[in-house]
Amino acid sequence: MGLSIYLALKEIWRNRGRFFLVALVIALITLLVLFIAALGEGLGTNNRQYVSNLDAQLIVFLDKSDFIIPSSRLDQSALKAVRRVDGVADAGPISTSSTAILLDNGKVLKVSMLGVEAGRPGLPPVIEGRTYQTQLAKETVIDRNVALRSDIKVGDEITIRSTQGTKDEFFTLKVVGLTEGQAYTFQPTIFVPPSTWERVRPKSEAEANKTVPDINVIAVKLEDPSQTEAMKSKIEANVSNVQVADIETTISNIPGYSAQQGTVQTQGAFTLLIGVLVIGGFFQIQILQKVPQIGVLKAIGSSNAVVGLAAVIQIMVVTAIGVGIGGLLTYVFSLFFPPTIPLVFNGNASALAIAALLFIGPAGGLVSVIYAVRIEPLKALRLS
Amino acid sequence: MNTVALEVKNVVKTFSVDGSKINAVDDVSFKVNSGEFVALVGPSGSGKTTMLSILAVLLTPTSGQVLIDGQDLAKMSEKQRVVLRREKIGFTFQSNNLIPYLTAKENVEFMLRLNGKANRAGRVRSQELLARLGLNDRLHNLPAQMSGGQQQRVAIARALIHNPTVVLADEPTASLDTERAFQVVETFANLIHENNRAGIMVTHDLRMCKYVDRVLQMRDGKLVQIYETKEEVMALARGGDH
Ligand SMILES: Nc1ncnc2c1ncn2[C@@H]1O[C@H](COP(=O)(O)OP(=O)(O)OP(=O)(O)O)[C@@H](O)[C@H]1O
Ligand SMILES: [Mg+2]
């Protein structure tokens, strides 16, 4: 072991220029992999954040809506029926739509506008200001993401523009509170009471005179959060014409979510594969050049274990240095990224990526290690 | 002083090339005592390197017996052979001798490291040995920064540093000028005699035989003649002059 470390480190040090270049290549691959992971996380977060932060365990959909939030339509009676099911602690309606806030500088900010009842699952905790008071209040709670992209503050009045029928209608809402981390389908989010939502949301001519708000889905908080499976069947049995999903299923059915995550993961996997090939290629070429010297090592009495281990240690050291530099570069770059770019450096995702990167070195170099062990000292020396 | 360090009995090594068989070593027998320095000579292709490789436990003979320190190589496991190679054998190869990323001193010390003896005393001895071979100012040079002859001398130091029973050298003077060659072989011979090793040196240059105790001559794989006495050996060495 000691002997292998000695050989591996001496060789790296005496050829530090060459090994540093390889470490740099690994660093660039690391940078790429970490950014792809962060992008996947960022895109995913922006898509699902609101749903995954819900204070609820189950989501009730219209039957045969395939768990797709925008294609589910429920009414107030379904909400009442869900609330009556034994074991349901609370249930809140969620109505989704998109609208635009008119900003002072003449631009518009597209937002998700969610109609949710105050004090029920569906409205996230308010971190500044207060929540709206009545079902009809012309008040709104905005996500910090809205504040970051404009200079809207708690206490301001905002104007939203919605197309109703064929006309653009304008509504004024007072910002009473602020939440955090509530992006939904890539847009920053504002929350309004259900009746207000029905009045101000974009709608078609036919819906123009509706006043009872439609509900897309119902967020259900259970008395015993561990009973999701049992409660799922129970709600489906007790409320007609609904299907129930847990949060995870709901997220994976957010339109485009799975496809997008799949794409990002494929990119990450291919980048890792390129890493394996680059490292494998380098060490394979290197080992071919080293046949005579490995022959000498063996001829003077180094065991296969010493030679093989030295090759493994060398690959691991170079990979570790490369991944270290890459991690550092990624960190430095991440400091300069504006908050509006969807990059999220999540500890778990990065750790997984780094573990994968550390693994690709030995994986790529495996062939060369096996080759090194198989070199016969005499043949190696005859080559000269 | 007169213990047998190395004994070769009826050794044959056959290579098959394209179906035809060549006896690279053909029924060779000899002994070398500790404290004895022997030259192995013969024309190119006569089997010298093959013989040396068998003695260095790098090649298994087709038949016959080799004993080092009384141990029969054929009866050892592969692991035991590796240990024997690093403990009891010192070897300089015809070329490609040194580890390219280790300095002269590190190359020599590596032999001690292999045997777990790279202590302070060992490091001092490495330095002294290199100094004796005229490399005092090359201790920290990498092989690529040394001439072929300097590299050969480092290899000689490496072959001796761990006090092996048998020291094998394949053409150690091939890349040296005549004067340097005489000097190196003389030092080599002295070190072998002083430390009571059994030394075998392959050489093309019969003049180098001046420092050895005995000369074994090979031709077509066979041991054809042994020059035993001082007079015979010296006559051979002088004959090599022209
Ligand atoms: N691995 C091998 N396979 C086939 N033939 C071999 C092999 N090794 C050696 N030989 C043959 O065995 C014979 C002896 O070779 P060897 O290298 O021992 O000669 P040598 O005396 O060392 O020659 P030189 O003075 O040129 O170094 C040669 O004919 C050579 O071609
Ligand atoms: Mg030879």
PDB file of all heavy atoms in Angstrom, chain A residues 378-379 382, chain B residues 13-17 22-25 42-53 59 94 170-171 202-204 218 221, ligand 1:
ATOM      1  N   LEU A 378       9.033 -10.029 -18.541  1.00  0.00           N
ATOM      2  CA  LEU A 378      10.006 -10.383 -19.565  1.00  0.00           C
ATOM      3  C   LEU A 378       9.606  -9.831 -20.925  1.00  0.00           C
ATOM      4  O   LEU A 378      10.407  -9.204 -21.620  1.00  0.00           O
ATOM      5  CB  LEU A 378      10.130 -11.900 -19.645  1.00  0.00           C
ATOM      6  CG  LEU A 378      11.347 -12.324 -20.437  1.00  0.00           C
ATOM      7  CD1 LEU A 378      12.614 -11.923 -19.699  1.00  0.00           C
ATOM      8  CD2 LEU A 378      11.332 -13.803 -20.697  1.00  0.00           C
ATOM      9  N   LYS A 379       8.319 -10.019 -21.264  1.00  0.00           N
ATOM     10  CA  LYS A 379       7.835  -9.511 -22.551  1.00  0.00           C
ATOM     11  C   LYS A 379       8.046  -8.011 -22.620  1.00  0.00           C
ATOM     12  O   LYS A 379       8.462  -7.461 -23.642  1.00  0.00           O
ATOM     13  CB  LYS A 379       6.344  -9.832 -22.707  1.00  0.00           C
ATOM     14  CG  LYS A 379       6.075 -11.295 -22.968  1.00  0.00           C
ATOM     15  CD  LYS A 379       5.050 -11.480 -24.098  1.00  0.00           C
ATOM     16  CE  LYS A 379       4.805 -12.935 -24.393  1.00  0.00           C
ATOM     17  NZ  LYS A 379       3.827 -13.541 -23.458  1.00  0.00           N
ATOM     18  N   ARG A 382      11.602  -7.223 -23.369  1.00  0.00           N
ATOM     19  CA  ARG A 382      12.011  -7.599 -24.727  1.00  0.00           C
ATOM     20  C   ARG A 382      11.582  -6.571 -25.755  1.00  0.00           C
ATOM     21  O   ARG A 382      12.129  -6.503 -26.836  1.00  0.00           O
ATOM     22  CB  ARG A 382      11.372  -8.935 -25.112  1.00  0.00           C
ATOM     23  CG  ARG A 382      11.952 -10.110 -24.411  1.00  0.00           C
ATOM     24  CD  ARG A 382      13.117 -10.664 -25.195  1.00  0.00           C
ATOM     25  NE  ARG A 382      13.724 -11.727 -24.428  1.00  0.00           N
ATOM     26  CZ  ARG A 382      14.738 -12.449 -24.870  1.00  0.00           C
ATOM     27  NH1 ARG A 382      15.240 -12.213 -26.064  1.00  0.00           N
ATOM     28  NH2 ARG A 382      15.264 -13.372 -24.131  1.00  0.00           N
TER      29      ARG A 382
ATOM     30  N   LYS B  13      15.893 -24.373 -22.604  1.00  0.00           N
ATOM     31  CA  LYS B  13      14.751 -23.496 -22.847  1.00  0.00           C
ATOM     32  C   LYS B  13      14.432 -23.531 -24.323  1.00  0.00           C
ATOM     33  O   LYS B  13      15.263 -23.186 -25.164  1.00  0.00           O
ATOM     34  CB  LYS B  13      15.039 -22.060 -22.411  1.00  0.00           C
ATOM     35  CG  LYS B  13      13.871 -21.116 -22.633  1.00  0.00           C
ATOM     36  CD  LYS B  13      12.692 -21.417 -21.693  1.00  0.00           C
ATOM     37  CE  LYS B  13      11.404 -20.762 -22.159  1.00  0.00           C
ATOM     38  NZ  LYS B  13      10.283 -21.028 -21.232  1.00  0.00           N
ATOM     39  N   THR B  14      13.226 -24.014 -24.633  1.00  0.00           N
ATOM     40  CA  THR B  14      12.821 -24.149 -26.029  1.00  0.00           C
ATOM     41  C   THR B  14      11.756 -23.109 -26.356  1.00  0.00           C
ATOM     42  O   THR B  14      10.799 -22.944 -25.610  1.00  0.00           O
ATOM     43  CB  THR B  14      12.234 -25.560 -26.265  1.00  0.00           C
ATOM     44  OG1 THR B  14      13.132 -26.514 -25.697  1.00  0.00           O
ATOM     45  CG2 THR B  14      12.070 -25.838 -27.740  1.00  0.00           C
ATOM     46  N   PHE B  15      11.952 -22.379 -27.449  1.00  0.00           N
ATOM     47  CA  PHE B  15      10.918 -21.459 -27.935  1.00  0.00           C
ATOM     48  C   PHE B  15      10.329 -22.038 -29.205  1.00  0.00           C
ATOM     49  O   PHE B  15      11.061 -22.582 -30.036  1.00  0.00           O
ATOM     50  CB  PHE B  15      11.513 -20.082 -28.274  1.00  0.00           C
ATOM     51  CG  PHE B  15      11.928 -19.295 -27.063  1.00  0.00           C
ATOM     52  CD1 PHE B  15      13.268 -18.991 -26.842  1.00  0.00           C
ATOM     53  CD2 PHE B  15      10.977 -18.832 -26.158  1.00  0.00           C
ATOM     54  CE1 PHE B  15      13.651 -18.253 -25.734  1.00  0.00           C
ATOM     55  CE2 PHE B  15      11.359 -18.095 -25.053  1.00  0.00           C
ATOM     56  CZ  PHE B  15      12.697 -17.804 -24.840  1.00  0.00           C
ATOM     57  N   SER B  16       9.017 -21.949 -29.339  1.00  0.00           N
ATOM     58  CA  SER B  16       8.400 -22.356 -30.603  1.00  0.00           C
ATOM     59  C   SER B  16       8.091 -21.109 -31.402  1.00  0.00           C
ATOM     60  O   SER B  16       7.396 -20.217 -30.927  1.00  0.00           O
ATOM     61  CB  SER B  16       7.091 -23.103 -30.349  1.00  0.00           C
ATOM     62  OG  SER B  16       7.339 -24.149 -29.447  1.00  0.00           O
ATOM     63  N   VAL B  17       8.669 -21.018 -32.575  1.00  0.00           N
ATOM     64  CA  VAL B  17       8.350 -19.897 -33.457  1.00  0.00           C
ATOM     65  C   VAL B  17       7.832 -20.455 -34.771  1.00  0.00           C
ATOM     66  O   VAL B  17       8.535 -21.213 -35.451  1.00  0.00           O
ATOM     67  CB  VAL B  17       9.598 -19.017 -33.701  1.00  0.00           C
ATOM     68  CG1 VAL B  17       9.242 -17.829 -34.589  1.00  0.00           C
ATOM     69  CG2 VAL B  17      10.171 -18.537 -32.387  1.00  0.00           C
ATOM     70  N   ILE B  22      13.180 -23.724 -31.323  1.00  0.00           N
ATOM     71  CA  ILE B  22      14.569 -23.280 -31.156  1.00  0.00           C
ATOM     72  C   ILE B  22      14.965 -23.542 -29.716  1.00  0.00           C
ATOM     73  O   ILE B  22      14.259 -23.132 -28.799  1.00  0.00           O
ATOM     74  CB  ILE B  22      14.708 -21.756 -31.408  1.00  0.00           C
ATOM     75  CG1 ILE B  22      14.136 -21.363 -32.769  1.00  0.00           C
ATOM     76  CG2 ILE B  22      16.170 -21.337 -31.261  1.00  0.00           C
ATOM     77  CD1 ILE B  22      14.018 -19.862 -32.932  1.00  0.00           C
ATOM     78  N   ASN B  23      16.102 -24.205 -29.523  1.00  0.00           N
ATOM     79  CA  ASN B  23      16.638 -24.330 -28.170  1.00  0.00           C
ATOM     80  C   ASN B  23      17.518 -23.124 -27.885  1.00  0.00           C
ATOM     81  O   ASN B  23      18.687 -23.090 -28.239  1.00  0.00           O
ATOM     82  CB  ASN B  23      17.455 -25.617 -28.026  1.00  0.00           C
ATOM     83  CG  ASN B  23      16.546 -26.823 -27.912  1.00  0.00           C
ATOM     84  OD1 ASN B  23      15.328 -26.688 -27.727  1.00  0.00           O
ATOM     85  ND2 ASN B  23      17.134 -27.999 -28.013  1.00  0.00           N
ATOM     86  N   ALA B  24      16.923 -22.096 -27.277  1.00  0.00           N
ATOM     87  CA  ALA B  24      17.677 -20.880 -26.976  1.00  0.00           C
ATOM     88  C   ALA B  24      18.746 -21.167 -25.931  1.00  0.00           C
ATOM     89  O   ALA B  24      19.827 -20.590 -25.951  1.00  0.00           O
ATOM     90  CB  ALA B  24      16.741 -19.782 -26.492  1.00  0.00           C
ATOM     91  N   VAL B  25      18.421 -22.075 -25.001  1.00  0.00           N
ATOM     92  CA  VAL B  25      19.416 -22.574 -24.046  1.00  0.00           C
ATOM     93  C   VAL B  25      19.343 -24.098 -24.138  1.00  0.00           C
ATOM     94  O   VAL B  25      18.260 -24.678 -24.072  1.00  0.00           O
ATOM     95  CB  VAL B  25      19.113 -22.099 -22.609  1.00  0.00           C
ATOM     96  CG1 VAL B  25      20.047 -22.779 -21.616  1.00  0.00           C
ATOM     97  CG2 VAL B  25      19.232 -20.582 -22.501  1.00  0.00           C
ATOM     98  N   GLY B  42      29.497 -14.736 -25.746  1.00  0.00           N
ATOM     99  CA  GLY B  42      29.032 -15.523 -26.882  1.00  0.00           C
ATOM    100  C   GLY B  42      28.443 -14.603 -27.923  1.00  0.00           C
ATOM    101  O   GLY B  42      28.086 -13.467 -27.616  1.00  0.00           O
ATOM    102  N   PRO B  43      28.323 -15.082 -29.151  1.00  0.00           N
ATOM    103  CA  PRO B  43      27.791 -14.233 -30.219  1.00  0.00           C
ATOM    104  C   PRO B  43      26.321 -13.883 -29.988  1.00  0.00           C
ATOM    105  O   PRO B  43      25.651 -14.509 -29.184  1.00  0.00           O
ATOM    106  CB  PRO B  43      27.959 -15.092 -31.472  1.00  0.00           C
ATOM    107  CG  PRO B  43      28.136 -16.480 -30.994  1.00  0.00           C
ATOM    108  CD  PRO B  43      28.700 -16.419 -29.617  1.00  0.00           C
ATOM    109  N   SER B  44      25.878 -12.909 -30.739  1.00  0.00           N
ATOM    110  CA  SER B  44      24.478 -12.485 -30.631  1.00  0.00           C
ATOM    111  C   SER B  44      23.558 -13.642 -30.955  1.00  0.00           C
ATOM    112  O   SER B  44      23.786 -14.392 -31.898  1.00  0.00           O
ATOM    113  CB  SER B  44      24.235 -11.329 -31.606  1.00  0.00           C
ATOM    114  OG  SER B  44      22.925 -10.863 -31.463  1.00  0.00           O
ATOM    115  N   GLY B  45      22.521 -13.811 -30.136  1.00  0.00           N
ATOM    116  CA  GLY B  45      21.564 -14.892 -30.366  1.00  0.00           C
ATOM    117  C   GLY B  45      21.993 -16.210 -29.778  1.00  0.00           C
ATOM    118  O   GLY B  45      21.340 -17.228 -29.981  1.00  0.00           O
ATOM    119  N   SER B  46      23.100 -16.226 -29.009  1.00  0.00           N
ATOM    120  CA  SER B  46      23.599 -17.497 -28.481  1.00  0.00           C
ATOM    121  C   SER B  46      22.856 -17.937 -27.215  1.00  0.00           C
ATOM    122  O   SER B  46      23.085 -19.027 -26.717  1.00  0.00           O
ATOM    123  CB  SER B  46      25.105 -17.388 -28.209  1.00  0.00           C
ATOM    124  OG  SER B  46      25.354 -16.340 -27.314  1.00  0.00           O
ATOM    125  N   GLY B  47      21.972 -17.075 -26.697  1.00  0.00           N
ATOM    126  CA  GLY B  47      21.167 -17.507 -25.547  1.00  0.00           C
ATOM    127  C   GLY B  47      21.554 -16.872 -24.221  1.00  0.00           C
ATOM    128  O   GLY B  47      21.084 -17.300 -23.162  1.00  0.00           O
ATOM    129  N   LYS B  48      22.374 -15.827 -24.261  1.00  0.00           N
ATOM    130  CA  LYS B  48      22.860 -15.233 -23.007  1.00  0.00           C
ATOM    131  C   LYS B  48      21.720 -14.579 -22.218  1.00  0.00           C
ATOM    132  O   LYS B  48      21.562 -14.825 -21.022  1.00  0.00           O
ATOM    133  CB  LYS B  48      23.948 -14.186 -23.309  1.00  0.00           C
ATOM    134  CG  LYS B  48      25.110 -14.731 -24.138  1.00  0.00           C
ATOM    135  CD  LYS B  48      26.169 -13.680 -24.362  1.00  0.00           C
ATOM    136  CE  LYS B  48      25.719 -12.477 -25.183  1.00  0.00           C
ATOM    137  NZ  LYS B  48      25.403 -12.761 -26.602  1.00  0.00           N
ATOM    138  N   THR B  49      20.940 -13.740 -22.908  1.00  0.00           N
ATOM    139  CA  THR B  49      19.838 -13.060 -22.202  1.00  0.00           C
ATOM    140  C   THR B  49      18.806 -14.069 -21.709  1.00  0.00           C
ATOM    141  O   THR B  49      18.289 -13.959 -20.598  1.00  0.00           O
ATOM    142  CB  THR B  49      19.175 -12.020 -23.126  1.00  0.00           C
ATOM    143  OG1 THR B  49      20.139 -11.029 -23.471  1.00  0.00           O
ATOM    144  CG2 THR B  49      18.003 -11.344 -22.442  1.00  0.00           C
ATOM    145  N   THR B  50      18.568 -15.085 -22.524  1.00  0.00           N
ATOM    146  CA  THR B  50      17.624 -16.127 -22.108  1.00  0.00           C
ATOM    147  C   THR B  50      18.113 -16.807 -20.831  1.00  0.00           C
ATOM    148  O   THR B  50      17.350 -16.997 -19.877  1.00  0.00           O
ATOM    149  CB  THR B  50      17.457 -17.157 -23.245  1.00  0.00           C
ATOM    150  OG1 THR B  50      17.117 -16.456 -24.444  1.00  0.00           O
ATOM    151  CG2 THR B  50      16.382 -18.161 -22.927  1.00  0.00           C
ATOM    152  N   MET B  51      19.396 -17.143 -20.814  1.00  0.00           N
ATOM    153  CA  MET B  51      19.978 -17.781 -19.629  1.00  0.00           C
ATOM    154  C   MET B  51      19.822 -16.877 -18.403  1.00  0.00           C
ATOM    155  O   MET B  51      19.406 -17.304 -17.325  1.00  0.00           O
ATOM    156  CB  MET B  51      21.473 -18.048 -19.899  1.00  0.00           C
ATOM    157  CG  MET B  51      22.153 -18.901 -18.846  1.00  0.00           C
ATOM    158  SD  MET B  51      21.490 -20.582 -18.831  1.00  0.00           S
ATOM    159  CE  MET B  51      20.968 -20.721 -17.136  1.00  0.00           C
ATOM    160  N   LEU B  52      20.130 -15.591 -18.590  1.00  0.00           N
ATOM    161  CA  LEU B  52      20.068 -14.641 -17.487  1.00  0.00           C
ATOM    162  C   LEU B  52      18.623 -14.481 -16.981  1.00  0.00           C
ATOM    163  O   LEU B  52      18.386 -14.383 -15.776  1.00  0.00           O
ATOM    164  CB  LEU B  52      20.613 -13.286 -17.964  1.00  0.00           C
ATOM    165  CG  LEU B  52      21.567 -12.564 -17.017  1.00  0.00           C
ATOM    166  CD1 LEU B  52      22.714 -13.456 -16.600  1.00  0.00           C
ATOM    167  CD2 LEU B  52      22.083 -11.292 -17.657  1.00  0.00           C
ATOM    168  N   SER B  53      17.676 -14.476 -17.929  1.00  0.00           N
ATOM    169  CA  SER B  53      16.265 -14.332 -17.542  1.00  0.00           C
ATOM    170  C   SER B  53      15.805 -15.521 -16.705  1.00  0.00           C
ATOM    171  O   SER B  53      15.029 -15.374 -15.763  1.00  0.00           O
ATOM    172  CB  SER B  53      15.379 -14.227 -18.783  1.00  0.00           C
ATOM    173  OG  SER B  53      15.804 -13.160 -19.589  1.00  0.00           O
ATOM    174  N   LEU B  59      11.830 -16.238 -16.290  1.00  0.00           N
ATOM    175  CA  LEU B  59      11.506 -17.197 -17.336  1.00  0.00           C
ATOM    176  C   LEU B  59      11.668 -18.596 -16.728  1.00  0.00           C
ATOM    177  O   LEU B  59      12.616 -18.843 -15.988  1.00  0.00           O
ATOM    178  CB  LEU B  59      12.512 -16.983 -18.482  1.00  0.00           C
ATOM    179  CG  LEU B  59      12.182 -17.496 -19.860  1.00  0.00           C
ATOM    180  CD1 LEU B  59      10.899 -16.878 -20.370  1.00  0.00           C
ATOM    181  CD2 LEU B  59      13.329 -17.145 -20.813  1.00  0.00           C
ATOM    182  N   GLN B  94      19.389  -5.038 -20.368  1.00  0.00           N
ATOM    183  CA  GLN B  94      20.136  -4.543 -21.523  1.00  0.00           C
ATOM    184  C   GLN B  94      19.781  -3.081 -21.818  1.00  0.00           C
ATOM    185  O   GLN B  94      20.597  -2.307 -22.240  1.00  0.00           O
ATOM    186  CB  GLN B  94      19.843  -5.421 -22.748  1.00  0.00           C
ATOM    187  CG  GLN B  94      21.114  -5.902 -23.405  1.00  0.00           C
ATOM    188  CD  GLN B  94      20.867  -7.044 -24.383  1.00  0.00           C
ATOM    189  OE1 GLN B  94      19.953  -7.844 -24.221  1.00  0.00           O
ATOM    190  NE2 GLN B  94      21.700  -7.134 -25.401  1.00  0.00           N
ATOM    191  N   ASP B 170      23.109  -7.629 -17.652  1.00  0.00           N
ATOM    192  CA  ASP B 170      23.076  -7.902 -19.094  1.00  0.00           C
ATOM    193  C   ASP B 170      23.698  -6.719 -19.826  1.00  0.00           C
ATOM    194  O   ASP B 170      23.097  -5.648 -19.880  1.00  0.00           O
ATOM    195  CB  ASP B 170      21.627  -8.133 -19.534  1.00  0.00           C
ATOM    196  CG  ASP B 170      21.554  -8.879 -20.871  1.00  0.00           C
ATOM    197  OD1 ASP B 170      22.624  -9.041 -21.522  1.00  0.00           O
ATOM    198  OD2 ASP B 170      20.446  -9.286 -21.259  1.00  0.00           O
ATOM    199  N   GLU B 171      24.900  -6.919 -20.364  1.00  0.00           N
ATOM    200  CA  GLU B 171      25.595  -5.870 -21.118  1.00  0.00           C
ATOM    201  C   GLU B 171      25.673  -4.533 -20.372  1.00  0.00           C
ATOM    202  O   GLU B 171      25.211  -3.515 -20.889  1.00  0.00           O
ATOM    203  CB  GLU B 171      24.878  -5.623 -22.466  1.00  0.00           C
ATOM    204  CG  GLU B 171      24.778  -6.843 -23.331  1.00  0.00           C
ATOM    205  CD  GLU B 171      26.000  -7.048 -24.221  1.00  0.00           C
ATOM    206  OE1 GLU B 171      26.986  -6.276 -24.072  1.00  0.00           O
ATOM    207  OE2 GLU B 171      25.987  -7.976 -25.044  1.00  0.00           O
ATOM    208  N   VAL B 202      26.873 -10.475 -18.552  1.00  0.00           N
ATOM    209  CA  VAL B 202      26.892 -10.789 -19.978  1.00  0.00           C
ATOM    210  C   VAL B 202      27.646  -9.676 -20.681  1.00  0.00           C
ATOM    211  O   VAL B 202      27.446  -8.500 -20.375  1.00  0.00           O
ATOM    212  CB  VAL B 202      25.455 -10.883 -20.536  1.00  0.00           C
ATOM    213  CG1 VAL B 202      25.480 -10.907 -22.059  1.00  0.00           C
ATOM    214  CG2 VAL B 202      24.750 -12.110 -19.991  1.00  0.00           C
ATOM    215  N   THR B 203      28.552 -10.029 -21.570  1.00  0.00           N
ATOM    216  CA  THR B 203      29.239  -8.967 -22.320  1.00  0.00           C
ATOM    217  C   THR B 203      29.655  -9.439 -23.707  1.00  0.00           C
ATOM    218  O   THR B 203      29.880 -10.630 -23.950  1.00  0.00           O
ATOM    219  CB  THR B 203      30.464  -8.431 -21.539  1.00  0.00           C
ATOM    220  OG1 THR B 203      31.062  -7.401 -22.305  1.00  0.00           O
ATOM    221  CG2 THR B 203      31.468  -9.524 -21.264  1.00  0.00           C
ATOM    222  N   HIS B 204      29.692  -8.497 -24.613  1.00  0.00           N
ATOM    223  CA  HIS B 204      30.220  -8.747 -25.942  1.00  0.00           C
ATOM    224  C   HIS B 204      31.707  -8.486 -25.969  1.00  0.00           C
ATOM    225  O   HIS B 204      32.429  -8.976 -26.821  1.00  0.00           O
ATOM    226  CB  HIS B 204      29.584  -7.768 -26.955  1.00  0.00           C
ATOM    227  CG  HIS B 204      28.357  -8.312 -27.596  1.00  0.00           C
ATOM    228  ND1 HIS B 204      27.147  -7.700 -27.481  1.00  0.00           N
ATOM    229  CD2 HIS B 204      28.160  -9.422 -28.340  1.00  0.00           C
ATOM    230  CE1 HIS B 204      26.243  -8.398 -28.129  1.00  0.00           C
ATOM    231  NE2 HIS B 204      26.833  -9.452 -28.671  1.00  0.00           N
ATOM    232  N   MET B 218      29.090 -19.249 -24.547  1.00  0.00           N
ATOM    233  CA  MET B 218      27.932 -19.944 -25.136  1.00  0.00           C
ATOM    234  C   MET B 218      27.950 -19.812 -26.647  1.00  0.00           C
ATOM    235  O   MET B 218      28.457 -18.832 -27.196  1.00  0.00           O
ATOM    236  CB  MET B 218      26.616 -19.342 -24.603  1.00  0.00           C
ATOM    237  CG  MET B 218      26.313 -19.714 -23.170  1.00  0.00           C
ATOM    238  SD  MET B 218      24.716 -19.063 -22.631  1.00  0.00           S
ATOM    239  CE  MET B 218      23.588 -20.196 -23.402  1.00  0.00           C
ATOM    240  N   GLY B 221      23.083 -21.670 -27.898  1.00  0.00           N
ATOM    241  CA  GLY B 221      22.387 -22.172 -26.719  1.00  0.00           C
ATOM    242  C   GLY B 221      23.205 -23.107 -25.848  1.00  0.00           C
ATOM    243  O   GLY B 221      22.810 -23.415 -24.731  1.00  0.00           O
TER     244      GLY B 221
HETATM  245  N1  LIG C   1      10.479 -15.052 -26.487  1.00  0.00           N
HETATM  246  C1  LIG C   1      11.136 -15.634 -27.503  1.00  0.00           C
HETATM  247  N2  LIG C   1      10.451 -16.296 -28.450  1.00  0.00           N
HETATM  248  C2  LIG C   1      11.104 -16.901 -29.456  1.00  0.00           C
HETATM  249  N3  LIG C   1      12.436 -16.925 -29.597  1.00  0.00           N
HETATM  250  C3  LIG C   1      13.177 -16.290 -28.670  1.00  0.00           C
HETATM  251  C4  LIG C   1      12.559 -15.603 -27.579  1.00  0.00           C
HETATM  252  N4  LIG C   1      13.540 -15.073 -26.813  1.00  0.00           N
HETATM  253  C5  LIG C   1      14.700 -15.389 -27.413  1.00  0.00           C
HETATM  254  N5  LIG C   1      14.498 -16.112 -28.515  1.00  0.00           N
HETATM  255  C6  LIG C   1      15.521 -16.658 -29.405  1.00  0.00           C
HETATM  256  O1  LIG C   1      16.447 -17.339 -28.599  1.00  0.00           O
HETATM  257  C7  LIG C   1      17.769 -17.115 -29.056  1.00  0.00           C
HETATM  258  C8  LIG C   1      18.633 -16.541 -27.942  1.00  0.00           C
HETATM  259  O2  LIG C   1      18.228 -15.209 -27.674  1.00  0.00           O
HETATM  260  P1  LIG C   1      18.953 -14.334 -26.577  1.00  0.00           P
HETATM  261  O3  LIG C   1      18.224 -13.028 -26.484  1.00  0.00           O
HETATM  262  O4  LIG C   1      19.076 -15.099 -25.337  1.00  0.00           O
HETATM  263  O5  LIG C   1      20.375 -14.066 -27.212  1.00  0.00           O
HETATM  264  P2  LIG C   1      21.605 -13.196 -26.672  1.00  0.00           P
HETATM  265  O6  LIG C   1      22.716 -14.104 -26.536  1.00  0.00           O
HETATM  266  O7  LIG C   1      21.186 -12.429 -25.472  1.00  0.00           O
HETATM  267  O8  LIG C   1      21.827 -12.205 -27.883  1.00  0.00           O
HETATM  268  P3  LIG C   1      22.368 -10.662 -27.830  1.00  0.00           P
HETATM  269  O9  LIG C   1      23.843 -10.744 -27.610  1.00  0.00           O
HETATM  270  O10 LIG C   1      22.043 -10.155 -29.186  1.00  0.00           O
HETATM  271  O11 LIG C   1      21.632  -9.963 -26.759  1.00  0.00           O
HETATM  272  C9  LIG C   1      17.644 -16.205 -30.250  1.00  0.00           C
HETATM  273  O12 LIG C   1      17.683 -16.994 -31.414  1.00  0.00           O
HETATM  274  C10 LIG C   1      16.294 -15.582 -30.105  1.00  0.00           C
HETATM  275  O13 LIG C   1      15.746 -15.265 -31.357  1.00  0.00           O
END
